[in-house]
Amino acid sequence: MIKLPKSDLLKRQRLSAVLGLALDGSRLDGLALRRTDGALQIQQSFSVSLSLDPLTNDPELVGREIRNHLDAAGVRERQCIVGLPLKWALTTHIEVPELPEADVAGFLQIEAERSFPCDVQTLHVVISRPHTASGKQHATLVGIPKNHLIRLAQALRAAKLKPLSFSLGIAALQPPGADASNGVMALAIGESHVGLQVTAGGGVAALRALEGALEAEGSQRELHADLVSREARITLGQLPAELRETVRRIRVFGPRDLARQLVDEMELRLDATGLKVEAVARYAADEFGVHLPPETLVSAAFSLAAGRLAGRRELFEFLLPKVSPLQQIAARYSSGRLRTAILAAAAVALVSGGIFFFQQCQLWRLQAQWAKMQPNVRQLEGLQDQIRQYRPWYDESVRGLTILRRLTEAFPEDGSVTAKTVEIRDLNTITCTGIARNYQALLKTVEHLRAVRQIPEVNMGPTRGQPPALQFTFNFQWSEGGKSAN
């Protein structure tokens, strides 16, 4: 999602020293700058050609090569401001209709998806919004592939550097927000191309890398000034009239001989346009609001470092924010059916988790109640155990005597059946032995017992002997509930 730049940024850490780096093709320029008592001092400087391309080679190897160059130059500063190659940038210009400010970001997002030749999600996009005198708004969108930024950041960290900002060198040479930059076309002569930037209305109206403007012939470089002049006229012609009419100056940055050659050629070719062409070799005394070293040559590396030490805010900030592993996973799976499936699974997990959490809360509540009840329960259980143990000794029904009474009432009064032993176990199992004169009297006694409500059944045991001395045994169960209890 494209985000518009905020006017009020968080207060940044005040630095006393910083390393400015400007990468242009294989060329890496740098200088260590320190601020002391309102004055800037150059500590070390270097300009080298990298043998390894940061975009195609292993970041660890690239970082090791950069570290070797820094050590050779005696640079010890770790915090750095980096100027990115303009060739990495993709740009598009959009006219912004009259919309509520809250809807502008969405409009620019849609236009970016239509204008850029690649998926806008793979780009880190920064927006500049110049304004015209009539109030009409325009937007210049500048996008750099995130993979380029990630690989460069990895290489710098491998070189034991801490990148504080990724910006564009040409924007540091000609700051879009400065009042002096209004209506200026800046041309920066690089290693293999010429950078073009038009600043008007407080922002960037055009930004291009003019390929083919420089050709290497051995150790020399040939500048095609006619190509640069033609592309400059084309760029001006493509600008909205209200912005084009504000452009009055062309400032050329770069090596003195090439810059002088380009100025002379453009003065001849653009004489009819009334544009003033000048080569910029030195900084103005009040360029950064601090005292500069004498005879300081203009360079992107110095402008980047001095601007940061002077507290200047860069319009183009391409340093990717630090992303946590969780945010990386979310960004990776944030679209398509997989996102829907993940959201559905997350919803199910959330609902299930809520149910289990509610259940756990109930368990915690019940456990708290049980903790309060447990001493009383343990005391009651002890009392119940004692009651079970001593209940037979406190049985008010006198069950044993009742059993003997019912047994006695079943025996005939004429003495034809007599009992020798009566055994009562646990007050419910009774075994009786005795002697009967005849078998009929014995059966009659058993029938009387079976008629008792508390005796469900009488089981006859073996009999021995002959009348009138017939020995018998029978047993039965005593149940207080009666026959219906079984």
Side-chain angles (χ1 to χ4, degrees):
M1 180 66 183
I2 296 176
K3 296 181 180 180
L4 296 179
K6 296 180 180 179
S7 57
D8 296 325
L9 299 179
L10 294 177
K11 185 178 181 181
R12 297 182 294 180
Q13 179 183 2
R14 187 65 179 267
L15 300 176
S16 60
V18 72
L19 174 63
L21 297 175
L23 180 63
D24 182 17
S26 63
R27 197 73 183 171
L28 179 65
D29 297 327
L31 57 85
L33 198 62
R34 177 173 292 276
R35 177 171 179 167
T36 306
D37 297 330
L40 299 180
Q41 298 177 355
I42 298 177
Q43 303 295 306
Q44 300 89 20
S45 64
F46 63 92
S47 181
V48 298
S49 292
L50 300 178
S51 60
L52 299 178
D53 187 347
L55 300 184
T56 58
N57 293 102
D58 182 21
E60 290 292 332
L61 298 178
V62 177
R64 191 178 306 167
E65 181 183 7
I66 295 175
R67 184 73 261 171
N68 291 337
H69 290 306
L70 294 174
D71 292 341
V75 177
R76 296 292 179 264
E77 182 61 43
R78 295 185 63 248
Q79 301 185 101
C80 62
I81 310 295
V82 184
L84 305 177
L86 187 57
K87 293 192 297 184
W88 288 6
L90 301 174
T91 62
T92 184
H93 183 86
I94 298 171
E95 183 176 332
V96 182
E98 293 185 4
L99 292 172
E101 190 62 27
D103 298 335
V104 173
F107 170 77
L108 294 178
Q109 176 75 24
I110 296 173
E111 291 298 316
E113 293 174 353
R114 293 173 52 188
S115 303
F116 283 118
C118 60
D119 184 2
V120 73
Q121 298 298 329
T122 64
L123 302 176
H124 183 63
V125 180
V126 178
I127 303 171
S128 175
R129 297 174 62 188
H131 298 265
T132 62
S134 65
K136 204 166 188 179
Q137 299 186 37
H138 301 267
T140 300
L141 277 60
V142 183
I144 293 182
K146 293 180 180 178
N147 186 59
H148 292 12
L149 303 174
I150 292 172
R151 293 185 67 88
L152 179 59
Q154 291 173 343
L156 293 174
R157 293 189 180 99
K160 300 179 182 179
L161 296 176
K162 180 182 179 182
L164 301 178
S165 175
F166 285 169
S167 188
L168 295 176
I170 191 171
L173 292 170
Q174 191 65 52
D179 294 337
S181 296
N182 189 39
V184 174
M185 174 184 287
L187 297 173
I189 302 174
E191 182 185 35
S192 60
H193 72 281
V194 174
L196 183 151
Q197 174 186 271
V198 177
T199 52
V204 174
L207 188 66
R208 296 180 58 191
L210 305 181
E211 299 288 351
L214 288 166
E215 289 186 2
E217 294 185 355
S219 60
Q220 300 296 323
R221 289 186 297 168
E222 180 182 358
L223 174 65
H224 297 290
D226 56 339
L227 185 147
V228 177
S229 300
R230 183 174 65 253
E231 293 298 327
R233 288 197 304 269
I234 293 174
T235 301
L236 289 174
Q238 292 174 341
L239 291 178
E242 290 180 301
L243 294 177
R244 181 175 62 250
E245 293 171 357
T246 63
V247 180
R248 290 289 180 265
R249 291 186 298 159
I250 298 178
R251 306 187 76 200
V252 180
F253 301 88
R256 178 176 300 178
D257 54 342
L258 294 178
R260 189 69 258 172
Q261 176 188 346
L262 183 56
V263 168
D264 294 340
E265 185 73 21
M266 295 193 72
E267 283 180 341
L268 293 175
R269 295 179 178 272
L270 302 177
D271 182 58
T273 61
L275 295 174
K276 180 183 178 182
V277 186
E278 60 180 338
V280 183
R282 296 286 188 271
Y283 291 104
D286 58 346
E287 184 83 20
F288 299 98
V290 293
H291 181 69
L292 303 181
E295 300 300 318
T296 303
L297 295 178
V298 173
S299 69
F302 184 91
S303 295
L304 288 165
R308 185 58 181 264
L309 293 179
R312 176 186 291 174
R313 181 178 69 88
E314 295 294 341
L315 173 64
F316 296 113
E317 179 55 72
F318 293 100
L319 183 64
L320 295 175
K322 292 183 179 181
V323 182
S324 66
L326 182 61
Q327 290 174 322
Q328 292 177 359
I329 295 174
R332 184 176 179 182
Y333 301 110
S334 62
S335 62
R337 295 182 178 178
L338 186 57
R339 178 183 62 182
T340 303
I342 292 176
L343 290 177
V348 172
L350 183 62
V351 172
S352 301
I355 294 175
F356 282 112
F357 180 73
F358 176 76
Q359 184 182 38
Q360 187 63 40
C361 291
Q362 294 292 99
L363 290 175
W364 288 335
R365 183 177 61 83
L366 294 175
Q367 287 174 353
Q369 293 179 353
W370 167 248
K372 295 179 180 179
M373 297 168 54
Q374 189 175 16
N376 295 334
V377 172
R378 295 286 183 251
Q379 184 179 6
L380 290 176
E381 288 177 346
L383 293 175
Q384 288 180 348
D385 291 341
Q386 292 180 8
I387 290 173
R388 293 190 188 96
Q389 182 179 358
Y390 299 109
R391 178 175 289 168
W393 301 92
Y394 296 93
D395 189 357
E396 295 180 357
S397 62
V398 196
R399 184 184 296 185
L401 296 178
T402 302
I403 293 172
L404 290 176
R405 177 183 175 185
R406 295 300 183 188
L407 182 60
T408 302
E409 290 175 347
F411 279 73
E413 295 181 357
D414 58 2
S416 57
V417 179
T418 58
K420 292 177 60 179
T421 64
V422 176
E423 181 181 358
I424 302 175
R425 294 181 181 178
D426 298 329
L427 296 179
N428 58 13
T429 302
I430 298 92
T431 301
C432 178
T433 63
I435 298 175
R437 293 178 183 174
N438 52 64
Y439 198 73
Q440 289 77 11
L442 176 60
L443 290 178
K444 188 175 181 180
T445 301
V446 171
E447 289 298 328
H448 287 167
L449 285 174
R450 288 174 176 171
V452 177
R453 182 177 61 84
Q454 290 83 359
I455 301 176
E457 182 60 48
V458 179
N459 299 316
M460 288 292 298
T463 58
R464 295 190 301 273
Q466 297 293 328
L470 184 65
Q471 297 180 11
F472 65 88
T473 301
F474 60 81
N475 60 75
F476 58 89
Q477 296 289 327
W478 182 269
S479 174
E480 287 296 334
K483 293 181 173 61
S484 61
N486 292 335

